[in-house]
Amino acid sequence: MSWLLLSGGLAVLLTSGAILGAALGLVGMALLYFQANGATPLAITASWNMLTDFTLSAVPLFIFLGEILLASGISKRVYNGLTPLFARVPGQLLHTNIAVCTLFGAVSGSSTSTAAAIGSVGYPELRSRGYDPGMVVGSLAAGGTLGLLIPPSLALIIYGATQNVSIGTLFIAGMLPGLMIACAFSIWIIVRTKFGGPVAPESQGRMDWLAVARGLKEIWPLPILIFFVLGTIYLGIATPTESAALGVVASIVLGMTWGNLNLPKLWQAFKNASLMFAAIGMILLGTVILSQAVSLLGIPRSAVDAISGFGLGPYGILLLIVIVYIVLGCFFDGISLLLMTLPITFPMIIGLGFDPIWFGIVVTLLVEIGMITPPMGLNLFVLTSISKNEVDLTTAAKASLPYWLILLGAVGLFTLFPELILWVTRW
């Protein structure tokens, strides 16, 4: 009966156009009232605890940080500074897209903000130089996903805060996988450039190391910002929430002295961040209520027992969960998908004996896949808009397919070799 009410209620409310947070919360309240002997006060207590959680306050701060960077124009300076470094590499500025997205992801924490900030600079620049528009959009969409994995990551913060997993450990664990995936993206660009049709201009001349040095010198403030955001966490100086606050202050200072940030742009960034967190906060509220109901009724354990009856082992159940995330990623944005599913999938995964740090990275990768999966892939929408519809959604999706496969391959690799993630837990 609990499963019927859960699945039926979510299906009806989500297909009716109801707000996601409200749909999750209403189903959770119905389960608590009808199936758990009217235990609705638990939902009120859980909601209050969530809204007053110090750790979760890092989320609006990191959203604000991403909006400040987007408004300050810093991405253009970073892009121009790294351009000479890839002048002789096959694919040239396509690698700059990946590299700048990686650096920007190390301070913004948001996939969409990263794609928008770098795309608004990179797409016009590469199109003016004769690069294939589909290849440009594909590299930018894939590079944007790195903002959701490379710390500080909104997905990892929300995962850690809602499931009581160390956010600092998640940040350290996400660094190596993020860099490995960035390298894999660049390897694909080299292969596509050398063995496919022409997608980039021919490299000319020799590497100008003086230009490279000048470019790197131009971006010297960025490592300072990365230190405030990540270095303070890794050195044990600050908690993730405190580092987010430090990052906001540092980004404002750098934006006004190094970028073109001013008070009207800062105010607009604050308003944009507030609206975004209001939407995420509503989903968080609904998720907490649903999580209480699901946990109290033992639904995850029942699901594991039911699936195990088909003779599937832990990895068979994991495969089913991966498929569910890929399918749902076609219809929900990343953060909504994460919040909506964790109340069920997290207890199932832990019950099967998988490590919570490992699952945090893997589920973030699955969410990243959704960011470039049509029809709801937000990065695809952002970049088709930036291209002024020169590249349609179908073309963008086809160009992103190799990167989609790389991300899916990374899920398989980290499942076969979990130590690539879990080495951090051995400290």
Side-chain angles (χ1 to χ4, degrees), residues 356-423:
I357 299 294
W358 173 85
F359 184 60
I361 305 303
V362 168
V363 78
T364 301
L365 282 172
L366 294 171
V367 167
E368 281 184 341
I369 290 172
M371 300 301 288
I372 53 175
T373 302
M376 280 300 293
L378 286 183
N379 285 7
L380 300 180
F381 278 106
V382 167
L383 288 159
T384 52
S385 175
I386 286 173
S387 74
K388 298 178 181 176
N389 294 319
E390 182 181 12
V391 178
D392 59 28
L393 186 62
T394 302
T395 304
K398 288 179 180 177
S400 300
L401 179 59
Y403 305 101
W404 188 95
L405 292 172
I406 289 171
L407 289 170
L408 189 59
V411 172
L413 178 67
F414 298 139
T415 301
L416 290 173
F417 304 101
E419 286 300 317
L420 291 170
I421 294 172
L422 296 178
W423 64 273

Side-chain angles (χ1 to χ4, degrees), residues 210-224:
L210 186 59
V212 171
R214 282 198 299 264
L216 295 177
K217 183 181 176 182
E218 281 293 310
I219 65 170
W220 66 266
L222 191 64
I224 296 176

Side-chain angles (χ1 to χ4, degrees), residues 256-325:
M256 289 187 168
T257 57
W258 190 47
N260 53 21
L261 185 67
N262 52 35
L263 288 178
K265 288 182 178 179
L266 181 62
W267 175 242
Q268 186 61 46
F270 177 76
K271 289 196 291 184
N272 292 343
S274 300
L275 289 172
M276 186 181 296
F277 181 68
I280 292 175
M282 182 69 176
I283 300 170
L284 273 169
L285 200 60
T287 301
V288 166
I289 296 172
L290 182 61
S291 181
Q292 286 294 309
V294 165
S295 175
L296 189 64
L297 295 172
I299 291 176
R301 186 67 259 170
S302 301
V304 171
D305 293 339
I307 296 172
S308 298
F310 294 102
L312 295 175
Y315 288 97
I317 296 174
L318 175 65
L319 179 61
L320 287 179
I321 290 173
V322 168
I323 293 171
V324 167
Y325 270 101

Side-chain angles (χ1 to χ4, degrees), residues 141-201:
T145 64
L146 297 171
L148 209 56
L149 178 60
I150 291 179
S153 159
L154 282 181
L156 293 179
I157 292 170
I158 290 172
Y159 175 89
T162 56
Q163 308 306 317
N164 294 316
V165 180
S166 168
I167 295 174
T169 306
L170 285 168
F171 278 4
I172 300 173
M175 185 62 74
L176 179 59
L179 294 176
M180 289 175 65
I181 291 168
C183 291
F185 287 168
S186 282
I187 290 170
W188 159 246
I189 291 172
I190 292 173
V191 171
R192 175 66 179 82
T193 304
K194 290 183 73 69
F195 301 107
V199 294

Side-chain angles (χ1 to χ4, degrees), residues 10-196:
L10 284 176
V12 170
L13 287 172
L14 292 177
T15 54
S16 69
I19 297 171
L20 179 58
L24 297 174
L26 285 172
V27 171
M29 291 294 279
L31 284 170
L32 287 171
Y33 186 79
F34 293 109
Q35 297 292 307
N37 300 319
T40 49
L42 285 175
I44 299 171
T45 303
S47 300
W48 173 256
N49 290 339
M50 186 274 292
L51 292 171
T52 55
D53 186 1
F54 175 73
T55 304
L56 208 57
S57 59
V59 175
L61 288 170
F62 277 119
I63 294 173
F64 188 28
L65 173 56
E67 290 293 333
I68 292 169
L69 293 175
L70 187 59
S72 65
I74 286 176
S75 57
K76 184 174 180 63
R77 299 196 66 165
V78 176
Y79 198 93
N80 292 336
L82 288 180
T83 293
L85 188 61
F86 301 100
R88 293 291 299 163
V89 181
Q92 298 176 62
L93 296 189
L94 294 172
H95 297 283
T96 307
N97 291 344
I98 303 300
V100 178
C101 284
T102 302
L103 280 176
F104 207 79
V107 287
S108 82
S110 167
S111 178
T112 308
S113 294
T114 300
I118 309 307
S120 60
V121 175
Y123 185 82
E125 178 71 19
L126 270 67
R127 284 300 293 129
S128 68
R129 299 191 184 204
Y131 285 75
D132 178 74
M135 194 68 179
V136 174
V137 166
S139 65
L140 287 167
T145 64
L146 297 171
L148 209 56
L149 178 60
I150 291 179
S153 159
L154 282 181
L156 293 179
I157 292 170
I158 290 172
Y159 175 89
T162 56
Q163 308 306 317
N164 294 316
V165 180
S166 168
I167 295 174
T169 306
L170 285 168
F171 278 4
I172 300 173
M175 185 62 74
L176 179 59
L179 294 176
M180 289 175 65
I181 291 168
C183 291
F185 287 168
S186 282
I187 290 170
W188 159 246
I189 291 172
I190 292 173
V191 171
R192 175 66 179 82
T193 304
K194 290 183 73 69
F195 301 107

